[in-house]
């Protein structure tokens, strides 16, 4: 049974249409990447799921209940990390963690200790002195230290350094192994790829693609920069290769991820001197797939 | 110091000032129209009221030399002239208004910006270290000059003496300048805007009360308050300019202090540095009510201490009211004829006004307390609370209940303060219950105002500022309702207007019960609205 089911959701703020007939399904036990550029409606979707916002139309189910009507009882079973974490300036990080956990109905002491240690958080500091990253850690510890069936994480790593991001990924894997469902929003493709079982891509308030990573492979292109011994002209004939640019024996091209194998084989035939490849950014993805500029 | 560092430390003042004006393009005009308009209306209302020499002569005897008048407006000279009367009637609103205005405006554009992190962005541009302080100063002075100019012009317009009008305006402007400088010091001391506001408002209260007490006892205390200095320029009497020097010198000294503090502190830091706190939350922090209490702890303690002291001050002057009356021959004749009963009646009238005045002050508390709901929502902190099983009803009910319970508690504390002050002044301790009960008789009005703020929060969250307008209106009705001859329909908007003037009159149960019912209804409507709307600011 699906843990989250949104169907045909519309939400407007005055003249702004934040969600435009949005559909989203998240299955039990999966990490679902919710991917979209800034302002595409990720936070609005999550707030509708929390019953903080009331959808203008459409149907919404979360953990088998109505997010607006049954908000309080549903919230016993979920944990939330907001995108822009704001904490009570005169409470310490440790106090905030306890307050939220108690309001949620209890906390796992061992997990609390472990998470604080893991994220290297000083719980005795007043929240007003925390950096954005540290405020985010407080919210993460508060969410992860309580055992929930569903975690709604809104761009949870946007203030974390790479080391902490790795800790975060580890924690997500553990929580998932225990059977929880996670909705993880992000505007960075690589992050969603690293964690998610399935991904939904949202754009201008509408989900434009949903699927497993394998299913979405055809969407993603890898940019390859290579230098070969012989002139790299034959590469242009490989299916799935786009926009090759050649300077002597140097070639730069994009290749559909499901044709990467053939392209690399073709390069090997020509004698590879140097090779660099990088996955596409979300912006490149949109540019290629929809031929539109993504406004940040 | 060479001129280059000075220039670079103030670079960008112009930009900041323009930014402040842009951000306050509604707020500043509101202050100017609200405060300036009240001053103009007061000035204009006097000449028609005192249109014969007899009436003018009667003012000094009947109104201007009462204990309440001394306490609230100080000892204004020239009360036997129209100018003196206008100055006396205007001074409470004008002086308190101009000082509170600069405290709010200056904190808003200095410490509040720094605390929010927006100033950090600005500081990273070409902006000198002292630019924010200077821009705050320039902005505060500008607002002060506007109000003072309006005051002088309105006095001239009703035909008052030119030198007196000008002196009065200058005194008002310099008083505003002193408090601008005090606020600039306060924002260096406290790391939070709320703390700086508290310090600024406390400084206004202390200055005002010290002048009031000094004027009442007619002693040297007057000279320990900037309010006293401004008044002792003796506008509409034998004007003298040297007290202006006191005001100017104090402003300069305070500004130098602010600059020095600014130069020696970190960005975002203050003199009052935070200590490490507890790693675990106490037991009380498990419920919405517990959290609301903790969030408002500082506010509650500050108000409790402030109101107790205020009550004590007012209480301590009650015993001297009969003496003051005795020193006024006409009043003494009147009292002499009426005997003890007439004297008691005058003391009771004084008490009734004190109770009312202090009840209006608690309206400021109750609105600030209820509107924490909105502040929390705008800061994005309500979101995390509502993402737990805590429902909107319980979150809003907890905060509102706290505000209303605290308002009642503060009222009791204020009444106790009054009783203690009275006991210390008179040596009689048998009035405690009477004073506390008397003060409590006015609490329904405060509760209605708090519930009104709650209703606004639930129904029209963007318009919660209207609750402050209601507080201003109530204050206006109490201070100036009679003099402005506001129509009953307007005065009736104030919940206090309907309540009996205890202890002069006995408590009337009907208005009390009606206002308690109205309070419950307004809170219920607020919660009803809150349950139906988006719980996110925007
Ligand atoms: N409370 C609000 N009031 C008005 N507009 C809003 C509000 N919240 C979001 N929006 C608008 O809705 C759109 C989607 O915003 P959001 O969901 O925050 O995007 P994302 O989280 O993907 O960056 C944006 O255009 C944003 O400006
Ligand atoms: Mg967002």
């Amino acid at each position: 049974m699906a843990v989250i089911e949104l169907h045909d959701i519309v939400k407007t703020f005055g003249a702004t249409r934040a969600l435009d007939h949005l559909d989203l399904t998240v299955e039990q036990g999966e990490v679902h990447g919710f991917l979209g550029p800034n302002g595409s409606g990720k936070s609005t979707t999550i707030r509708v799921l929390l019953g903080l916002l009331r959808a203008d139309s459409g149907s919404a189910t979360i953990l088998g209940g109505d997010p607006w009507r049954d908000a309080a009882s549903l919230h016993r079973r979920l944990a939330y990390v907001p995108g822009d974490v704001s904490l009570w300036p005169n409470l310490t990080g440790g106090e905030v963690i306890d307050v939220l956990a108690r309001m949620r109905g209890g906390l796992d002491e061992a997990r609390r200790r472990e998470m604080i240690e893991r994220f290297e958080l000083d719980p005795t500091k007043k929240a007003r002195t925390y950096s954005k990253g540290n405020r985010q850690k407080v919210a993460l510890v508060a969410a992860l230290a309580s055992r929930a069936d569903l975690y709604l994480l809104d761009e949870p790593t946007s203030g974390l350094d790479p080391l902490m991001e790795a800790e975060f990924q580890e924690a997500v894997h553990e929580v998932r192994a225990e059977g929880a469902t996670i909705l993880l929003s992000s505007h960075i493709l690589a992050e969603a790829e690293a964690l998610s079982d399935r991904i939904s891509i949202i754009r201008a308030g509408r989900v434009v693609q949903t699927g497993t990573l394998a299913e979405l492979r055809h969407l993603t292109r890898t940019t390859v920069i290579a230098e070969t011994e012989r002139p790299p002209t034959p590469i242009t004939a490989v299916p799935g290769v786009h926009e090759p640019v050649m300077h002597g024996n140097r070639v730069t091209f994009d290749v559909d991820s499901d044709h990467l194998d053939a392209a690399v084989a073709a390069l090997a035939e020509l004698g590879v001197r140097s090779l660099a490849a990088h996955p596409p950014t979300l912006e490149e993805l949109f540019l290629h797939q929809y031929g539109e500029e993504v406004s940040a | 110091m060479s001129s280059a560092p000075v220039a670079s430390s103030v670079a960008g003042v112009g930009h900041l000032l323009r930014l402040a004006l842009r951000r306050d393009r509604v707020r500043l005009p509101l202050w100017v129209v609200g405060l300036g308009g009240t001053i103009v209306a007061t000035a204009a209302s006097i000449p028609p009221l005192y249109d014969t020499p007899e009436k003018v002569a009667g003012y000094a005897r009947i109104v201007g030399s009462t204990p309440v008048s001394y306490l609230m407006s100080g000892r204004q000279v020239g009360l036997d002239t129209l100018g003196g009367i206008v100055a006396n009637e205007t001074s409470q609103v004008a002086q308190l208004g101009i000082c509170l205005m600069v405290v709010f405006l200056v904190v808003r554009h200095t410490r509040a910006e720094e605390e929010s992190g927006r100033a950090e962005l600005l500081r990273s541009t070409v902006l000198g270290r002292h630019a924010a302080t200077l821009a705050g100063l320039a902005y505060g002075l500008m607002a002060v000059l506007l109000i003072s100019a309006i005051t002088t012009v309105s006095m001239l317009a009703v035909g008052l003496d030119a030198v007196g009008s000008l002196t009065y305006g200058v005194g008002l402007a310099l008083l505003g300048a002193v408090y601008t400088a005090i606020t600039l010091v306060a924002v260096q001391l406290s790391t939070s805007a709320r703390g700086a506001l508290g310090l600024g408002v406390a400084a206004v209260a202390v200055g005002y009360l010290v002048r009031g007490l000094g004027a009442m006892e007619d002693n040297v205390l007057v000279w320990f308050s900037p309010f006293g200095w401004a008044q002792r320029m003796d506008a509409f009497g034998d004007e003298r300019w040297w007290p202006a020097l006191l005001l100017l010198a104090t402003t300069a000294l305070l500004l130098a202090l602010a600059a020095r503090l600014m130069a020696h502190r970190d960005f975002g830091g203050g003199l009052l540095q935070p200590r490490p706190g507890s790693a675990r939350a106490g037991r009380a922090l498990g419920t919405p009510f517990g959290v609301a209490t903790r969030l408002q702890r500082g506010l509650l303690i500050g108000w409790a201490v402030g109101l107790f002291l205020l009550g004590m001050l007012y209480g301590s002057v009650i015993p001297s009211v009969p003496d003051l009356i005795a020193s006024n021959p006409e009043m003494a004749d009147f009292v002499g004829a009426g005997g003890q009963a007439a004297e008691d009646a005058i003391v009771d009238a004084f008490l009734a006004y004190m109770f009312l005045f202090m009840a209006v002050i608690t309206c400021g508390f109750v609105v600030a307390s209820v509107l924490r709901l909105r502040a929390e929502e705008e800061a994005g902190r309500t979101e995390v609370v509502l993402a737990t099983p805590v429902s909107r009803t319980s979150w809003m009910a907890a905060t509102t209940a706290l505000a209303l319970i605290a308002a009642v508690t503060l009222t009791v504390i204020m009444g106790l303060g009054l009783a203690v002050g009275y006991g210390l002044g008179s040596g009689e301790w048998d009035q405690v219950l009477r004073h506390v009960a008397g003060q409590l008789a006015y609490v329904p009005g405060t509760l209605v105002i708090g519930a009104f703020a709650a209703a606004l929060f639930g129904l029209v969250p963007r318009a919660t500022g209207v609750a402050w307008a209601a507080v201003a209106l109530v204050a206006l009705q109490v201070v100036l309702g009679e003099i402005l001859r506001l129509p009953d329909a307007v005065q009736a908007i104030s919940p206090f207007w309907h309540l009996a003037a205890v202890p002069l009159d006995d408590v009337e149960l009907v208005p009390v019960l009606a206002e308690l019912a109205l309070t419950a209804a307004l809170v219920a409507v607020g919660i009803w609205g809150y349950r139906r709307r988006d719980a996110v600011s925007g």
Side-chain angles (χ1 to χ4, degrees), chain B residues 176-485:
Chain B
V178 169
Y179 275 95
T180 305
I182 288 177
T183 310
L184 285 170
V185 172
V187 300
Q188 313 303 331
L189 293 179
S190 169
T191 53
S192 72
R194 201 185 302 275
L197 268 183
L199 288 174
V201 171
V204 174
V206 168
Y208 177 69
L209 286 172
V210 165
R211 191 274 312 263
L213 290 177
M216 200 167 158
E217 307 285 343
D218 203 10
N219 64 21
V220 72
L221 219 49
V222 171
W223 292 102
F224 287 90
S225 162
F227 283 82
W229 304 340
Q231 187 159 48
R232 295 322 307 270
M233 286 174 70
D234 286 349
F236 302 107
D238 296 325
E239 284 86 358
R240 47 189 183 176
W241 289 90
W242 61 263
L245 293 179
L246 272 174
L247 291 160
L248 271 176
T250 306
T251 306
L253 278 174
L254 286 165
L255 287 177
L257 177 63
R260 211 183 145 70
L261 290 171
M262 180 72 209
H264 287 91
R265 71 176 176 87
D266 291 335
F267 184 82
L271 233 61
L272 316 170
Q273 281 298 331
R275 294 167 282 114
S278 158
R280 299 305 304 254
R283 293 199 74 77
L285 275 177
T287 61
F289 190 81
V291 172
T293 311
R294 170 62 191 276
L295 293 183
Q296 302 201 19
R297 194 168 64 183
L299 187 76
L300 292 172
I301 295 174
W303 276 88
V305 171
L307 290 178
F308 185 82
L309 292 178
L310 184 70
M312 248 178 84
L313 276 168
Y314 286 161
S316 68
V317 301
I318 299 170
S320 52
V321 169
D323 294 343
L324 269 170
I325 295 164
S327 69
N328 181 325
E330 280 195 23
M331 286 258 196
D333 285 350
F334 170 67
V335 172
Q340 184 65 31
E343 189 180 303
D344 285 352
I346 288 175
V347 171
D348 282 353
F350 181 85
L351 260 177
Y353 191 77
M354 288 298 107
F355 286 151
L356 181 58
F357 186 75
M358 295 204 290
V360 170
I361 292 178
T362 59
C363 290
F365 162 80
V366 84
V367 167
S369 181
V370 168
L371 291 189
R372 273 307 290 268
L373 282 166
R374 179 64 180 159
E376 290 291 307
E377 180 168 273
E378 285 196 306
R381 290 190 287 262
T382 310
E383 222 174 293
V384 260
V385 171
L386 294 182
T388 72
V390 171
S391 69
R392 294 179 192 213
T393 306
S394 60
W395 178 242
M396 181 168 169
T399 307
T400 310
L402 171 73
L404 299 185
I405 291 171
V408 175
T409 313
L410 288 176
T411 302
V412 171
I413 289 174
M414 217 157 52
L416 279 175
L418 194 94
V420 168
Y422 179 79
L424 292 175
S426 67
E428 290 169 33
W429 294 93
D430 54 352
Q431 301 278 312
V432 177
L433 262 182
R434 184 167 173 264
H435 286 154
V436 173
Q439 187 65 67
L440 268 177
Y442 294 82
V443 87
T446 308
L447 298 183
V448 168
I449 296 291
F452 176 62
L456 286 173
F457 170 73
L459 295 175
V460 272
R462 280 166 208 228
T464 43
V466 173
W468 287 110
V471 174
L473 200 75
V474 165
L476 197 68
Q477 186 264 326
V478 167
V479 176
L480 291 174
E482 298 305 322
I483 196 86
L484 288 183
R485 296 195 167 166

Side-chain angles (χ1 to χ4, degrees), chain A residues 11-13 47 50-55 68 71-73 75-84 86-96 98-105 107 109 112 116 123-126 128-129 139, chain B residues 115 191-192 194 268 274-289 291-292 294-298 372 376 379-392 395 530-538:
Chain A
K11 177 68 193 176
T12 52
F13 296 106
R47 287 180 178 137
L50 283 165
L52 292 168
L53 297 177
R54 185 177 212 167
W68 178 265
S73 64
H75 292 176
R76 262 178 243 295
R77 297 169 55 200
L78 63 80
Y80 167 54
V81 174
D84 190 2
S86 164
L87 307 172
W88 297 291
N90 54 342
L91 263 60
T92 65
E95 286 178 318
V96 172
D98 286 349
V99 166
L100 294 178
R102 283 177 197 167
M103 284 182 168
R104 200 172 281 133
L107 103 166
E109 286 292 337
R112 181 189 190 275
I116 284 182
T124 64
K125 281 216 176 111
K126 296 269 192 215
R128 74 160 53 85
T129 68
Chain B
E115 191 184 22
T191 53
S192 72
R194 201 185 302 275
R275 294 167 282 114
S278 158
R280 299 305 304 254
R283 293 199 74 77
L285 275 177
T287 61
F289 190 81
V291 172
R294 170 62 191 276
L295 293 183
Q296 302 201 19
R297 194 168 64 183
R372 273 307 290 268
E376 290 291 307
R381 290 190 287 262
T382 310
E383 222 174 293
V384 260
V385 171
L386 294 182
T388 72
V390 171
S391 69
R392 294 179 192 213
W395 178 242
Y530 187 45
R531 287 172 57 90
R532 260 150 202 81
R533 70 172 174 85
D534 288 343
V536 171
S537 77

Side-chain angles (χ1 to χ4, degrees), chain A residues 206-226:
Chain A
R206 200 189 267 269
V207 169
V208 289
Q209 289 286 344
T210 290
T212 63
L213 279 180
E215 286 166 356
L216 294 183
R217 266 301 162 233
H218 72 280
L219 284 180
T220 67
R221 286 177 184 178
T222 304
T223 304
V224 177
I225 305 153

